C-alpha cells in the first residue's frame, strides 16, 4: 500500500531516538513532547487514520485518541520540564485541538484535505485565482436568486406590518427541501470521500483526482445552499414573531 | 470589518437597482455566483443596436456590502461605454476605486464576471462574435 502522507516531521524522538510510531507529537517510548512544526492534522492522528490522508474516519476512535493525547500533552505535565519542552507542549496542544476540530467534521475535513492536496477551494483562495471559473449550474443560480427575491418580499411585507401566509408556507416548504438537499449532499461527500480513500490505497491518482474534483464541486454547491437555508430560516423565524 | 466611505455610500445609496426585460434582444443578462461565499449577483445591460453603446444598466445583488457596492459601481461605469470598452473594466479597477481589502477581492471579481456574463448573453442573442473578449483576455 502506498502512503500518500509525505512526512516532513522528524521520524525519531529528539530525546531517546526511538522511532515515533503513534502521534508525532509524543514519544511512546519515553513520553517526551515533540516539536509540532511541519505536522499536518492527519499526521497528528496518524494511528487513527492509518497514517494516510483519508476521509473515512472512525470518529469514536478519533475522540478517544484526542482525549488520550490531550492528557499526555497537557502543559501542566510539563511544568517542571525545560522551557523548550513547555513551549512544545503548548504548541502541540494547540495543534491537537485544531486537528481534532477539523477532522471530526465531514465538511471541514474534506475542505482541509483538498487544500492540503493543492486544490484551491474556500475563502482562503477567494479572488486569488480568478481565471479558474467555477460557476455553478445555471439552474442553481436561478433558483438561489429567485428565492432571495421571495425572501426580500417577505421582509418587506414584515416591515409594512403585513404577513403573507401563502409566501410563508411556500418558504417553509423551500426550507425543508433545501435541508434535505443538504443532507443528500453530505451523504454524497461521504461516498466521494470513500472513493478518494480507495484511490489513495490503490495508488490510483486519476481516481483520486476525479473524486477530489467532485468533492470540490459539492462543497461549492453546499455554500450556496447553506446561505440560503440560513437566510430562509432567519426570515421565517422573524415572520412568525409577528 | 471596516468598509471604506465609498462602499458605504454605494451600499446605502445603490445606483441602478432593478431589472429589465430579460427576453428583449437589446438586453443582456448576467447571473453569477461566488463559490467562496455563496453570494449571487444579477447584472443587466441594454445595448443600442446601432452604436453598441450600453445605454442602461441594472443590478440586483444578494450578498455582502462589498458585492453590492461593486455591482452598483459596475453599472455606473458601463453606462455610456461601448460593449468593447465595458469589457476593459477589470476587477482591480473596482478594488482600487472602492478601496476593498484583500478578503473582499472576490466580491469585485463577481462584479467583473457579471459584466462579462451580461455582455456574453447580449452577444449570443445578437450573434456578435467573441473577438473583442479574446483580445481583452490576452492582457
Ligand atoms: S463576501 Fe462574497 S461577494 Fe462579498
Ligand atoms: Zn523518546
Amino acid at each position: 500500500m502506498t502512503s500518500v502522507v509525505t512526512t516532513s516531521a522528524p521520524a525519531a524522538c529528539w530525546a531517546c531516538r526511538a522511532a515515533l510510531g503513534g502521534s508525532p507529537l509524543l514519544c511512546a517510548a519515553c513520553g517526551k513532547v515533540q516539536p509540532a512544526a511541519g505536522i499536518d492534522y492527519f499526521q497528528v492522528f496518524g494511528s487513527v487514520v492509518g497514517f494516510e490522508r483519508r476521509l473515512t474516519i472512525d470518529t469514536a476512535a478519533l475522540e478517544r485518541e484526542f482525549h488520550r493525547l490531550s492528557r499526555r500533552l497537557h502543559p501542566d505535565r510539563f511544568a517542571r520540564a525545560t522551557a523548550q519542552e513547555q513551549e512544545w507542549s503548548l504548541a502541540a496542544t494547540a495543534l491537537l485541538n485544531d486537528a481534532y476540530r477539523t477532522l471530526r467534521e465531514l465538511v471541514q475535513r474534506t475542505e482541509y484535505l483538498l487544500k492540503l492536496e493543492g486544490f484551491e477551494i474556500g475563502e482562503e483562495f477567494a479572488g486569488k485565482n480568478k481565471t479558474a471559473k467555477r460557476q455553478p449550474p445555471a439552474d442553481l443560480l436561478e433558483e438561489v436568486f429567485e428565492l432571495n427575491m421571495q425572501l426580500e418580499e417577505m421582509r418587506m411585507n414584515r416591515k409594512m406590518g403585513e404577513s403573507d401566509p401563502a409566501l410563508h408556507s411556500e418558504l417553509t416548504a423551500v426550507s425543508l427541501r433545501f435541508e434535505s438537499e443538504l443532507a443528500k449532499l453530505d451523504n454524497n461527500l461521504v461516498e466521494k470521500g470513500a472513493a478518494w480513500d480507495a484511490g489513495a490505497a490503490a495508488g490510483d491518482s486519476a481516481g483520486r483526482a476525479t473524486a477530489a474534483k467532485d468533492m470540490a464541486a459539492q462543497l461549492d454547491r453546499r455554500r450556496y445552499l447553506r446561505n440560503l437555508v440560513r437566510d430562509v430560516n432567519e426570515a421565517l423565524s422573524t415572520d412568525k414573531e409577528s | 470589518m471596516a468598509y471604506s466611505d465609498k462602499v458605504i455610500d454605494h451600499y446605502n445609496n445603490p445606483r441602478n437597482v432593478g431589472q429589465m426585460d430579460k427576453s428583449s434582444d437589446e438586453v443582456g443578462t448576467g447571473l453569477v455566483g461566488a463559490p467562496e461565499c455563496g453570494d449571487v449577483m444579477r447584472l443587466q445591460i441594454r445595448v443600442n443596436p446601432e452604436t453598441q453603446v450600453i445605454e442602461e444598466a441594472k443590478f440586483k445583488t444578494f450578498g455582502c456590502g462589498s458585492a453590492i457596492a461593486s455591482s452598483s459601481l459596475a453599472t455606473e461605469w458601463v453606462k455610456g461605454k461601448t460593449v468593447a470598452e465595458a469589457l476593459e473594466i477589470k476587477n482591480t479597477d473596482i478594488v482600487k476605486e472602492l478601496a476593498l481589502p484583500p478578503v473582499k477581492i472576490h466580491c469585485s471579481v463577481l462584479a467583473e464576471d457579471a459584466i462579462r456574463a451580461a455582455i456574453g448573453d447580449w452577444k449570443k442573442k445578437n450573434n456578435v462574435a467573441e473577438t473583442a473578449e479574446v483580445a481583452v483576455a490576452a492582457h
Side-chain angles (χ1 to χ4, degrees), chain A residues 122-123 125-127 130 133-136 138 141-142 144-146 148-149 152 220 223-224 226-227, chain B residues 19 22 31-42 60 62 91 102 105-106 109-110 112-113:
Chain A
E123 317 236 2
F125 289 95
K130 72 187 196 80
K133 289 281 182 277
R134 294 204 328 270
Q135 283 300 322
L141 275 183
E142 300 266 351
V144 169
F145 195 85
E146 274 317 307
N148 271 304
M149 295 291 270
E152 198 174 68
D220 280 355
R223 268 176 231 115
Y224 292 99
R226 183 202 55 197
N227 280 4
Chain B
Q19 69 174 340
K22 235 174 120 174
L31 179 58
V32 293
E36 296 87 356
C37 59
D39 291 344
V40 287
M41 178 183 294
R42 182 186 64 200
K60 182 77 198 164
F62 297 105
N91 85 290
I105 288 175
H106 79 273
V109 172
L110 195 58
E112 184 190 319
D113 286 351

Side-chain angles (χ1 to χ4, degrees), chain A residues 12-20 26-34:
Chain A
C13 171
W14 61 271
C16 76
R17 296 274 125 220
L20 293 172
L26 190 76
C27 175
C30 71
K32 296 260 191 205
V33 61
Q34 309 290 313

